[in-house]
Amino acid sequence: MAGSVNDRISPPRWLLAELTYSCPLQCPYCANPIDFARIKSELNTEDWLRVLSEARAMGAVQLGFSGGEPLVRPDLTELVKHARQLGYFSNLITSGYGMTEAKIVELKEAGLDHIQVSIQSPEKTLNDELAGTESYDHKKEVARLVKKNGYPMVLCVVIHRKNIHQMHDILAMASDLGADYLELANTQYYGWAHLNRDQLLPTKEQFVEAESIAQAYKEKVKGKMKIYYVVPDFYEDRPKACMNGWGTTFLTIAPDGTALPCHSARELPGLDCPNVKDMSVHDIWHHSAAFNHFRGFEWMKEPCRSCPEKTKDFGGCHCQAYLLTGDMHNTDPACSLSPDRQRVYDAIFQARHDAESANAKPLIFRNPKNSKALT
Amino acid sequence: MTLDTTKTLNFSPFLRLQWEEAQQKHVILYPEGIVELNVPSTEILKLCDGAHNAEDILVELEEKFKQPGLKNDIYGFLEVAIENGWVS
């Protein structure tokens, strides 16, 4: 093969800055690692300013401030200001909890481009139950204030078995709030969602129905509201091209400075992800073992290695391969060609069993107490 | 869609059009997305500034590039830009 993998490394385009694992909410599908409560250290302001500068110099331009709940960080406005000066297009990914109009205005003046507010359900009782906190009315108010203050209104609803039957109401809520963008994110089963999968994974019939409602609505609101539909890969034949290919586009920095090729990669054993306190973002991206691990096709096993579609999906999601088969180098079982495909069928069967059971298991909420008890 | 060539055009205040050094290209940035632009598209969008309509843009760019017959290209691109919500 001509040239090494290193010669062909594209620069990062997207930076996800997970500012903190602190969160007033307890969503049982949270993408944070199960052991988040044991990871106490957080990068200081100076570290974050440097990370933003270094990633921008490499070409990163889309920036997400996430968490946990990023509003918890007292230096958020300072980071936003720096990001704007550097030329990032920045997005605050928030539960809305603790947001005030004064803060919305302050962040706008600092140069924040948009705010993505998540709502758990269009129904107050279910929203508050899933969030583990009474937050519904405040979230809707925040959504209105975001719109009022001249930001594009980006609404995110995570979809799972507890709310998938509410698709009509979800769409009506988005329209009522004047959403410019609606992200319908079918739960991806990592972290806490993996833990609660039996209680969250919808049936195929539910998926099909919800998707057809969303697609029809998408046509109806074309030109007014953009709808992103994150596909549920358990019911697909082919895996998603996770992260657009490992180490090609996305860079996540966890609260303690660990650099991740995908926000779930912390779960992968032996990957030994580098930390921005020890290495520059440039060196992490180009030279760290973790970021090079799944670059190119050399790491692949069969059936991926000889598959003509490997350039399209890169073998799928390594976190899913690990969680379902125990080996992150296996083909993602979301692919029907995977020899481990049965694991997906088993998961679907178990979830259906839970749904039909008279004494369904309770959800395990994402909070420090459960985190510590589980790890 | 038929383009109203006399209507003043504005680039969306929700989006940003900027030069990206790493890509050596202009891009449109919007929530969750990036669109890479070629030189002609960039020139057209820069003129969607609240002071020009499609006819003005055509005249200005044919003059600038010293090339007549750009009507189909420019109007075609503007239709795409309006449909995508980049311009209104």
Side-chain angles (χ1 to χ4, degrees):
Chain A
M1 190 170 51
S4 74
V5 167
N6 276 303
D7 297 334
R8 289 181 276 112
I9 295 174
S10 56
R13 288 275 172 265
W14 296 66
L15 173 63
L16 183 66
E18 292 184 334
L19 298 181
T20 179
Y21 284 136
S22 292
C23 188
L25 270 55
Q26 310 177 41
C27 307
Y29 46 75
C30 181
N32 286 164
I34 305 281
D35 64 352
F36 77 88
R38 302 201 176 273
I39 305 162
K40 292 216 171 64
S41 79
E42 280 189 8
L43 290 184
N44 61 28
T45 308
E46 206 176 302
D47 287 330
W48 276 118
L49 295 173
R50 174 176 61 84
V51 165
L52 295 180
S53 299
E54 288 180 358
R56 179 68 187 132
M58 292 176 69
V61 62
Q62 282 278 356
L63 170 64
F65 288 110
S66 166
E69 173 51 67
L71 285 170
V72 170
R73 284 280 300 212
D75 54 359
L76 180 62
T77 304
E78 187 179 349
L79 299 180
V80 165
K81 199 178 258 178
H82 187 62
R84 182 53 182 260
Q85 280 161 0
L86 293 168
Y88 278 107
F89 195 74
S90 54
N91 176 22
L92 180 68
I93 301 163
T94 177
S95 68
Y97 199 88
M99 183 69 107
T100 59
E101 184 161 19
K103 190 80 183 176
I104 289 173
V105 172
E106 179 185 303
L107 289 167
K108 178 98 186 163
E109 282 166 2
L112 186 66
D113 291 287
H114 57 123
I115 299 179
Q116 184 195 97
V117 180
S118 68
I119 296 188
Q120 279 68 9
S121 161
E123 184 204 333
K124 180 176 164 63
T125 325
L126 182 61
N127 177 88
D128 291 352
E129 184 193 321
L130 289 168
T133 313
E134 198 179 320
S135 52
Y136 180 76
D137 294 325
H138 182 63
K139 277 166 177 283
K140 285 186 77 166
E141 180 59 16
V142 169
R144 287 196 192 92
L145 290 172
V146 163
K147 181 89 183 170
K148 179 186 152 195
N149 283 282
Y151 291 95
M153 162 79 247
V154 186
L155 182 67
C156 173
V157 182
V158 178
I159 307 294
H160 43 72
R161 203 166 76 225
K162 308 280 180 192
N163 68 4
I164 195 164
H165 61 285
Q166 301 178 326
M167 189 55 80
H168 281 299
D169 294 336
I170 291 170
L171 297 166
M173 170 178 73
S175 168
D176 177 48
L177 292 172
D180 298 290
Y181 297 82
L182 172 63
E183 188 170 324
L184 295 168
N186 276 285
T187 303
Q188 309 286 307
Y189 294 94
Y190 317 109
W192 293 81
H194 177 72
L195 192 69
N196 288 303
R197 191 182 64 204
D198 289 351
Q199 298 94 289
L200 294 175
L201 183 64
T203 64
K204 177 144 194 186
E205 297 76 29
Q206 288 176 316
F207 267 138
V208 171
E209 198 193 339
E211 185 168 14
S212 82
I213 295 169
Q215 294 299 350
Y217 196 76
K218 202 171 175 173
E219 280 304 305
K220 204 177 120 188
V221 294
K222 207 173 168 186
K224 278 185 282 184
M225 188 195 300
K226 272 207 167 67
I227 299 183
Y228 298 116
Y229 192 80
V230 180
V231 296
D233 59 0
F234 274 44
Y235 293 106
E236 295 289 314
D237 275 340
R238 288 292 179 271
K240 55 183 178 285
C242 203
M243 297 290 118
N244 195 38
W246 186 270
T248 66
T249 313
F250 290 92
L251 170 64
T252 296
I253 307 296
D256 63 344
T258 303
L260 305 166
C262 114
H263 62 270
S264 294
R266 209 170 188 141
E267 292 183 305
L268 298 173
L271 200 60
D272 197 18
C273 288
N275 194 296
V276 294
K277 285 191 272 194
D278 309 319
M279 275 170 106
S280 70
V281 174
H282 181 274
D283 284 351
I284 285 170
W285 188 258
H286 285 269
H287 305 304
S288 71
F291 278 77
N292 281 306
H293 197 90
F294 290 110
R295 279 192 176 128
F297 303 103
E298 297 301 305
W299 62 271
M300 282 182 174
K301 296 188 193 177
E302 291 296 350
C304 288
R305 185 176 269 264
S306 59
C307 182
E309 294 178 48
K310 69 181 174 190
T311 53
K312 219 163 77 184
D313 58 39
F314 316 106
C317 166
H318 313 302
C319 299
Q320 189 145 278
Y322 168 66
L323 288 170
L324 294 180
T325 76
D327 183 348
M328 62 184 177
H329 301 93
N330 283 336
T331 298
D332 180 350
C335 181
S336 62
L337 299 171
S338 158
D340 299 300
R341 177 71 168 178
Q342 187 59 37
R343 307 292 171 97
V344 168
Y345 298 138
D346 291 346
I348 293 169
F349 177 81
Q350 280 167 28
R352 186 180 279 271
H353 181 75
D354 186 273
E356 290 166 356
S357 160
N359 46 358
K361 286 188 281 180
L363 287 166
I364 301 169
F365 285 87
R366 178 250 192 240
N367 57 43
K369 192 169 152 237
N370 285 335
S371 171
K372 282 181 188 147
L374 286 160
T375 53
Chain B
M1 196 202 328
T2 10
L3 178 73
D4 177 355
T5 58
T6 59
K7 184 180 170 290
T8 307
L9 297 168
N10 281 291
F11 187 73
S12 168
F14 289 169
L15 315 181
R16 206 169 336 135
L17 174 66
Q18 75 183 27
W19 172 253
E20 279 301 292
E21 195 60 34
Q23 285 159 285
Q24 292 291 303
K25 275 186 182 117
H26 276 86
V27 296
I28 298 175
L29 299 166
Y30 60 96
E32 318 280 324
I34 307 171
V35 181
E36 295 184 359
L37 298 169
N38 58 23
V39 174
S41 307
T42 307
E43 294 295 329
I44 296 168
L45 290 176
K46 279 185 176 167
L47 291 173
C48 297
D49 55 0
H52 295 77
N53 62 29
E55 287 171 14
D56 305 331
I57 293 173
L58 176 64
V59 171
E60 195 150 321
L61 291 183
E62 282 186 342
E63 163 92 26
K64 181 167 180 177
F65 292 113
K66 308 256 178 283
Q67 191 183 347
L70 295 179
K71 190 170 171 177
N72 287 347
D73 290 342
I74 291 177
Y75 288 5
F77 176 77
L78 282 170
E79 285 183 4
V80 171
I82 291 168
E83 198 176 310
N84 281 310
W86 305 336
V87 166
S88 61

Short mmCIF file of all heavy atoms in Angstrom, two decimals, chain A residues 340-373:
data_model
loop_
_atom_site.label_atom_id
_atom_site.label_comp_id
_atom_site.label_asym_id
_atom_site.label_seq_id
_atom_site.Cartn_x
_atom_site.Cartn_y
_atom_site.Cartn_z
N ASP A 340 -22.33 -12.46 14.47
CA ASP A 340 -22.93 -12.26 15.80
C ASP A 340 -24.30 -11.58 15.73
O ASP A 340 -24.79 -11.04 16.72
CB ASP A 340 -22.00 -11.41 16.68
CG ASP A 340 -20.66 -12.09 16.89
OD1 ASP A 340 -20.66 -13.20 17.43
OD2 ASP A 340 -19.63 -11.51 16.49
N ARG A 341 -24.89 -11.56 14.57
CA ARG A 341 -26.16 -10.88 14.38
C ARG A 341 -27.21 -11.33 15.40
O ARG A 341 -28.08 -10.56 15.80
CB ARG A 341 -26.65 -11.14 12.95
CG ARG A 341 -28.00 -10.56 12.62
CD ARG A 341 -27.97 -9.06 12.51
NE ARG A 341 -29.21 -8.56 11.91
CZ ARG A 341 -29.49 -7.29 11.72
NH1 ARG A 341 -28.61 -6.38 12.09
NH2 ARG A 341 -30.60 -6.91 11.16
N GLN A 342 -27.10 -12.59 15.81
CA GLN A 342 -28.06 -13.14 16.77
C GLN A 342 -28.15 -12.28 18.04
O GLN A 342 -29.20 -12.19 18.67
CB GLN A 342 -27.68 -14.59 17.11
CG GLN A 342 -28.71 -15.32 17.98
CD GLN A 342 -30.11 -15.41 17.34
OE1 GLN A 342 -30.23 -15.57 16.13
NE2 GLN A 342 -31.15 -15.25 18.14
N ARG A 343 -27.03 -11.64 18.41
CA ARG A 343 -27.03 -10.81 19.63
C ARG A 343 -28.06 -9.68 19.53
O ARG A 343 -28.67 -9.29 20.52
CB ARG A 343 -25.64 -10.19 19.88
CG ARG A 343 -24.50 -11.17 19.90
CD ARG A 343 -24.58 -12.09 21.12
NE ARG A 343 -23.60 -13.16 21.04
CZ ARG A 343 -22.42 -13.14 21.61
NH1 ARG A 343 -22.06 -12.12 22.36
NH2 ARG A 343 -21.58 -14.14 21.47
N VAL A 344 -28.20 -9.15 18.31
CA VAL A 344 -29.19 -8.08 18.11
C VAL A 344 -30.60 -8.66 18.25
O VAL A 344 -31.46 -8.08 18.92
CB VAL A 344 -29.00 -7.41 16.73
CG1 VAL A 344 -30.17 -6.51 16.37
CG2 VAL A 344 -27.70 -6.60 16.72
N TYR A 345 -30.81 -9.84 17.64
CA TYR A 345 -32.13 -10.47 17.76
C TYR A 345 -32.44 -10.78 19.23
O TYR A 345 -33.57 -10.62 19.69
CB TYR A 345 -32.21 -11.75 16.92
CG TYR A 345 -32.02 -11.52 15.44
CD1 TYR A 345 -31.24 -12.39 14.67
CD2 TYR A 345 -32.62 -10.44 14.80
CE1 TYR A 345 -31.07 -12.18 13.31
CE2 TYR A 345 -32.44 -10.22 13.44
CZ TYR A 345 -31.67 -11.09 12.70
OH TYR A 345 -31.49 -10.88 11.36
N ASP A 346 -31.42 -11.23 19.96
CA ASP A 346 -31.62 -11.53 21.38
C ASP A 346 -32.03 -10.27 22.14
O ASP A 346 -32.93 -10.32 22.99
CB ASP A 346 -30.33 -12.09 22.01
CG ASP A 346 -29.99 -13.48 21.48
OD1 ASP A 346 -30.85 -14.11 20.84
OD2 ASP A 346 -28.83 -13.92 21.69
N ALA A 347 -31.36 -9.17 21.84
CA ALA A 347 -31.66 -7.90 22.52
C ALA A 347 -33.10 -7.48 22.23
O ALA A 347 -33.83 -7.04 23.13
CB ALA A 347 -30.69 -6.82 22.06
N ILE A 348 -33.50 -7.63 20.98
CA ILE A 348 -34.87 -7.27 20.59
C ILE A 348 -35.87 -8.17 21.32
O ILE A 348 -36.89 -7.70 21.84
CB ILE A 348 -35.04 -7.39 19.05
CG1 ILE A 348 -34.18 -6.33 18.35
CG2 ILE A 348 -36.50 -7.28 18.64
CD1 ILE A 348 -34.05 -6.50 16.84
N PHE A 349 -35.54 -9.45 21.39
CA PHE A 349 -36.42 -10.42 22.06
C PHE A 349 -36.55 -10.09 23.54
O PHE A 349 -37.65 -10.06 24.09
CB PHE A 349 -35.86 -11.84 21.87
CG PHE A 349 -36.66 -12.89 22.59
CD1 PHE A 349 -37.83 -13.40 22.04
CD2 PHE A 349 -36.26 -13.35 23.85
CE1 PHE A 349 -38.59 -14.35 22.72
CE2 PHE A 349 -37.02 -14.29 24.53
CZ PHE A 349 -38.19 -14.80 23.97
N GLN A 350 -35.43 -9.83 24.18
CA GLN A 350 -35.44 -9.51 25.61
C GLN A 350 -36.27 -8.26 25.90
O GLN A 350 -37.00 -8.19 26.88
CB GLN A 350 -34.02 -9.27 26.13
CG GLN A 350 -33.25 -10.54 26.41
CD GLN A 350 -31.77 -10.23 26.60
OE1 GLN A 350 -31.40 -9.14 27.02
NE2 GLN A 350 -30.92 -11.19 26.28
N ALA A 351 -36.10 -7.25 25.03
CA ALA A 351 -36.83 -6.00 25.23
C ALA A 351 -38.34 -6.23 25.08
O ALA A 351 -39.14 -5.72 25.85
CB ALA A 351 -36.34 -4.95 24.25
N ARG A 352 -38.69 -7.01 24.08
CA ARG A 352 -40.11 -7.31 23.87
C ARG A 352 -40.67 -8.08 25.07
O ARG A 352 -41.77 -7.81 25.55
CB ARG A 352 -40.30 -8.12 22.58
CG ARG A 352 -41.77 -8.34 22.22
CD ARG A 352 -41.92 -9.13 20.95
NE ARG A 352 -41.76 -8.32 19.75
CZ ARG A 352 -42.77 -7.69 19.13
NH1 ARG A 352 -43.98 -7.74 19.64
NH2 ARG A 352 -42.55 -7.00 18.04
N HIS A 353 -39.86 -9.00 25.56
CA HIS A 353 -40.26 -9.78 26.73
C HIS A 353 -40.54 -8.84 27.91
O HIS A 353 -41.55 -8.97 28.61
CB HIS A 353 -39.15 -10.77 27.07
CG HIS A 353 -39.47 -11.65 28.25
ND1 HIS A 353 -40.36 -12.70 28.17
CD2 HIS A 353 -39.05 -11.61 29.53
CE1 HIS A 353 -40.46 -13.27 29.36
NE2 HIS A 353 -39.67 -12.63 30.20
N ASP A 354 -39.62 -7.87 28.10
CA ASP A 354 -39.78 -6.90 29.19
C ASP A 354 -41.06 -6.08 29.00
O ASP A 354 -41.80 -5.82 29.95
CB ASP A 354 -38.56 -5.98 29.25
CG ASP A 354 -38.61 -5.04 30.45
OD1 ASP A 354 -39.22 -3.95 30.33
OD2 ASP A 354 -38.09 -5.40 31.50
N ALA A 355 -41.29 -5.67 27.75
CA ALA A 355 -42.46 -4.83 27.45
C ALA A 355 -43.75 -5.56 27.76
O ALA A 355 -44.74 -4.96 28.20
CB ALA A 355 -42.43 -4.40 25.98
N GLU A 356 -43.76 -6.87 27.52
CA GLU A 356 -45.00 -7.64 27.69
C GLU A 356 -45.12 -8.22 29.09
O GLU A 356 -46.16 -8.78 29.44
CB GLU A 356 -45.05 -8.76 26.64
CG GLU A 356 -45.27 -8.19 25.22
CD GLU A 356 -44.99 -9.19 24.12
OE1 GLU A 356 -44.56 -10.32 24.43
OE2 GLU A 356 -45.19 -8.83 22.95
N SER A 357 -44.06 -8.10 29.86
CA SER A 357 -44.05 -8.70 31.18
C SER A 357 -44.89 -7.89 32.17
O SER A 357 -44.94 -6.65 32.10
CB SER A 357 -42.60 -8.79 31.67
OG SER A 357 -42.57 -8.94 33.07
N ALA A 358 -45.52 -8.59 33.08
CA ALA A 358 -46.35 -7.91 34.08
C ALA A 358 -45.48 -7.17 35.11
O ALA A 358 -45.85 -6.11 35.60
CB ALA A 358 -47.24 -8.92 34.78
N ASN A 359 -44.31 -7.73 35.41
CA ASN A 359 -43.43 -7.04 36.34
C ASN A 359 -42.13 -6.63 35.67
O ASN A 359 -41.08 -7.24 35.86
CB ASN A 359 -43.17 -7.87 37.61
CG ASN A 359 -42.83 -9.31 37.27
OD1 ASN A 359 -42.83 -9.68 36.10
ND2 ASN A 359 -42.54 -10.10 38.28
N ALA A 360 -42.24 -5.61 34.80
CA ALA A 360 -41.10 -5.10 34.06
C ALA A 360 -40.06 -4.53 35.04
O ALA A 360 -40.42 -4.02 36.10
CB ALA A 360 -41.55 -4.02 33.09
N LYS A 361 -38.79 -4.64 34.64
CA LYS A 361 -37.71 -4.11 35.49
C LYS A 361 -37.80 -2.59 35.57
O LYS A 361 -38.19 -1.93 34.60
CB LYS A 361 -36.35 -4.46 34.87
CG LYS A 361 -35.97 -5.91 35.02
CD LYS A 361 -34.53 -6.13 34.55
CE LYS A 361 -34.45 -6.22 33.03
NZ LYS A 361 -33.10 -6.43 32.54
N PRO A 362 -37.44 -2.00 36.72
CA PRO A 362 -37.45 -0.53 36.78
C PRO A 362 -36.24 0.05 36.04
O PRO A 362 -35.22 -0.63 35.90
CB PRO A 362 -37.35 -0.25 38.29
CG PRO A 362 -36.69 -1.45 38.86
CD PRO A 362 -37.02 -2.62 37.98
N LEU A 363 -36.37 1.29 35.59
CA LEU A 363 -35.25 1.98 34.95
C LEU A 363 -34.19 2.31 36.01
O LEU A 363 -34.53 2.62 37.15
CB LEU A 363 -35.73 3.29 34.32
CG LEU A 363 -36.57 3.16 33.05
CD1 LEU A 363 -37.25 4.50 32.75
CD2 LEU A 363 -35.71 2.72 31.87
N ILE A 364 -32.94 2.23 35.60
CA ILE A 364 -31.86 2.67 36.49
C ILE A 364 -31.46 4.08 36.08
O ILE A 364 -30.99 4.30 34.95
CB ILE A 364 -30.65 1.72 36.41
CG1 ILE A 364 -31.08 0.29 36.78
CG2 ILE A 364 -29.52 2.20 37.34
CD1 ILE A 364 -30.03 -0.76 36.49
N PHE A 365 -31.69 5.04 36.95
CA PHE A 365 -31.45 6.43 36.60
C PHE A 365 -29.98 6.79 36.71
O PHE A 365 -29.25 6.23 37.53
CB PHE A 365 -32.33 7.35 37.44
CG PHE A 365 -33.76 7.32 36.97
CD1 PHE A 365 -34.64 6.38 37.45
CD2 PHE A 365 -34.19 8.20 35.98
CE1 PHE A 365 -35.96 6.31 36.98
CE2 PHE A 365 -35.49 8.16 35.51
CZ PHE A 365 -36.38 7.20 36.01
N ARG A 366 -29.59 7.73 35.84
CA ARG A 366 -28.20 8.16 35.78
C ARG A 366 -27.95 9.19 36.88
O ARG A 366 -28.29 10.37 36.75
CB ARG A 366 -27.94 8.79 34.39
CG ARG A 366 -26.54 9.34 34.17
CD ARG A 366 -26.62 10.86 34.09
NE ARG A 366 -25.37 11.45 33.61
CZ ARG A 366 -24.65 12.30 34.33
NH1 ARG A 366 -25.03 12.66 35.54
NH2 ARG A 366 -23.55 12.82 33.81
N ASN A 367 -27.40 8.76 37.99
CA ASN A 367 -27.05 9.69 39.05
C ASN A 367 -25.80 9.16 39.76
O ASN A 367 -25.42 8.00 39.56
CB ASN A 367 -28.23 9.90 40.01
CG ASN A 367 -28.71 8.60 40.62
OD1 ASN A 367 -27.91 7.77 41.04
ND2 ASN A 367 -30.03 8.42 40.67
N PRO A 368 -25.15 10.01 40.53
CA PRO A 368 -23.88 9.59 41.15
C PRO A 368 -24.03 8.36 42.05
O PRO A 368 -23.13 7.52 42.09
CB PRO A 368 -23.48 10.82 41.98
CG PRO A 368 -24.15 11.97 41.32
CD PRO A 368 -25.45 11.43 40.79
N LYS A 369 -25.16 8.23 42.70
CA LYS A 369 -25.36 7.10 43.60
C LYS A 369 -25.35 5.79 42.81
O LYS A 369 -24.63 4.84 43.15
CB LYS A 369 -26.69 7.28 44.35
CG LYS A 369 -26.86 6.35 45.51
CD LYS A 369 -28.07 6.77 46.36
CE LYS A 369 -28.63 5.54 47.04
NZ LYS A 369 -30.03 5.29 46.75
N ASN A 370 -26.15 5.74 41.74
CA ASN A 370 -26.18 4.53 40.92
C ASN A 370 -24.84 4.29 40.25
O ASN A 370 -24.41 3.15 40.08
CB ASN A 370 -27.30 4.62 39.87
CG ASN A 370 -28.67 4.40 40.49
OD1 ASN A 370 -28.77 3.76 41.54
ND2 ASN A 370 -29.70 4.93 39.87
N SER A 371 -24.20 5.37 39.82
CA SER A 371 -22.90 5.24 39.15
C SER A 371 -21.91 4.55 40.07
O SER A 371 -21.20 3.62 39.67
CB SER A 371 -22.39 6.62 38.76
OG SER A 371 -21.05 6.55 38.30
N LYS A 372 -21.87 4.98 41.31
CA LYS A 372 -20.92 4.40 42.27
C LYS A 372 -21.30 2.97 42.62
O LYS A 372 -20.44 2.11 42.77
CB LYS A 372 -20.84 5.27 43.53
CG LYS A 372 -19.99 6.50 43.28
CD LYS A 372 -19.88 7.35 44.52
CE LYS A 372 -19.18 8.66 44.16
NZ LYS A 372 -19.68 9.77 44.95
N ALA A 373 -22.60 2.71 42.73
CA ALA A 373 -23.04 1.36 43.08
C ALA A 373 -22.72 0.36 41.96
O ALA A 373 -22.52 -0.82 42.22
CB ALA A 373 -24.54 1.37 43.35
#
